[in-house]
Amino acid sequence: MKNLSVSLDANPAASSGLDSFISIRLISAQTLFTAIVMLLLVPNIFAQADFPPFWKKFKSAVVAGDKAVVAEMTKFPLAMPYGINAVKNKEDFLRRYNEIFKGETNAAQCFPRAEQHKESDRRYEIYCPFKETPNDWENAPIRFEFELIKGGWRFVGLDNINE
């Protein structure tokens, strides 16, 4: 019987096939790594891009007085200004709607003119003036806070930055 022994160096075709296989595996690993990195970055891209549609819907619901839609776009408990109890749930929210949106400011009047203030990729704020001085945009201390949470953008807090 003959002893058949093949060296990879002695067979250029075999070496070329192995090199191609390794090359393909390396490219596949690099592609997979790039895809994973891109997917990790995508939420930040969407986080920046999808607040404006959320804000448009939220603002429209407040201006129209559509309490049910606004409640669905709110995270509970809703943080309130210093010394005021948080809004515990949807029922509490519906009961206290006027306190939230017509208390120190008139949100329905303010929101159409209010500017979005981006605090981070996951946080925006809207500032409104007191309802007694609706055109005093230099002094707009009523802050509506919005955050990107697992379920999307939500209204998460109300504050008077002067307190």
Side-chain angles (χ1 to χ4, degrees), residues 3-143:
N3 185 0
L4 293 173
S5 174
V6 178
S7 167
L8 290 178
D9 292 336
N11 186 346
S15 178
S16 175
L18 183 60
D19 288 346
S20 294
F21 177 74
I22 292 171
S23 212
I24 290 170
R25 298 286 281 191
L26 185 58
I27 290 171
S28 295
Q30 289 172 335
T31 303
L32 179 62
F33 176 76
T34 302
I36 290 169
V37 168
M38 297 272 299
L39 287 173
L40 292 173
L41 294 176
V42 167
N44 288 335
I45 293 167
F46 288 127
Q48 294 171 15
D50 71 351
F51 182 76
F54 168 86
W55 171 240
K56 183 178 179 182
K57 182 178 178 181
F58 187 86
K59 171 176 56 173
S60 295
V62 170
V63 169
D66 193 338
K67 298 175 185 181
V69 170
V70 177
E72 292 302 319
M73 301 176 80
T74 301
K75 178 183 172 246
F76 300 105
L78 176 69
M80 293 293 284
Y82 177 77
I84 300 174
N85 291 334
V87 177
K88 298 175 192 171
N89 52 40
K90 184 177 179 179
E91 293 74 27
D92 193 22
F93 179 84
L94 294 172
R95 188 173 58 256
R96 296 173 64 187
Y97 185 88
N98 287 342
E99 173 188 350
I100 298 164
F101 295 101
K102 297 178 184 178
E104 292 186 290
T105 191
N106 182 337
Q109 183 180 6
C110 165
F111 282 4
R113 296 178 45 201
E115 295 180 13
Q116 304 166 27
H117 294 272
K118 180 180 177 183
E119 299 301 312
S120 73
D121 289 343
R122 304 182 71 81
R123 184 176 176 86
Y124 276 81
E125 296 176 345
I126 305 295
Y127 291 86
C128 290
F130 290 114
K131 67 181 172 185
E132 293 83 16
T133 55
N135 296 317
D136 185 6
W137 288 94
E138 295 295 316
N139 181 31
I142 309 305
R143 177 174 59 199

